[in-house]
Amino acid sequence: DSVDVWQNYQTVRTELKLYSKELAKKKEIIVLNKIDLVDQEQLLAIKEMFAKHRKKIIAISAKEGLCLDLLIRAISHVRVEP
C-alpha cells in the first residue's frame, strides 16, 4: 500500500536525522526496487504519494534489469563533495 511505503520512507528519514543531521541534509536518490512484484496500479499510487510530497522516486527491478539506466543516470548526476 502506498501509505505504508511513504511511512517506511519517513521512518528511515527520521532515523537518518537522529544518526546525523549533516547526512540527512545531503541529496538523496529514492529508489523503489522489486517493481516486478508490484502491479502497475500500485506502482502509480506509490509514485503519486511521493509526488504529492515533492519527492521523485526511481522505480527499478534489479532482478529483471528494469529501469536500471534511469538509476545509473541519476547517480552519475550527483555531485560528490570532498
Side-chain angles (χ1 to χ4, degrees):
D1 165 90
S2 63
V3 175
D4 291 339
V5 174
W6 176 253
Q7 291 297 341
N8 290 341
Y9 168 75
Q10 289 296 2
T11 299
V12 170
R13 291 297 305 167
T14 299
E15 291 175 2
L16 186 61
K17 287 176 191 170
L18 290 172
Y19 176 75
S20 169
K21 291 182 191 233
E22 288 301 311
L23 186 57
K25 291 178 188 176
K26 294 193 179 279
K27 182 174 172 76
E28 67 182 350
I29 298 174
I30 305 169
V31 180
L32 179 66
N33 191 23
K34 300 188 179 190
I35 61 170
D36 53 303
L37 303 178
V38 179
D39 66 47
Q40 289 302 309
E41 191 173 300
Q42 287 176 303
L43 182 56
L44 182 59
I46 293 167
K47 286 182 176 182
E48 288 174 350
M49 174 66 75
F50 277 76
K52 185 170 94 172
H53 296 282
R54 297 181 174 204
K55 299 287 185 184
K56 181 182 176 191
I57 64 170
I58 298 174
I60 69 165
S61 169
K63 178 182 177 186
E64 301 294 328
L66 298 173
C67 301
L68 295 178
D69 57 326
L70 298 175
L71 177 57
I72 292 167
R73 192 174 318 135
I75 292 169
S76 71
H77 286 95
V78 174
R79 188 173 145 241
V80 179
E81 297 180 21

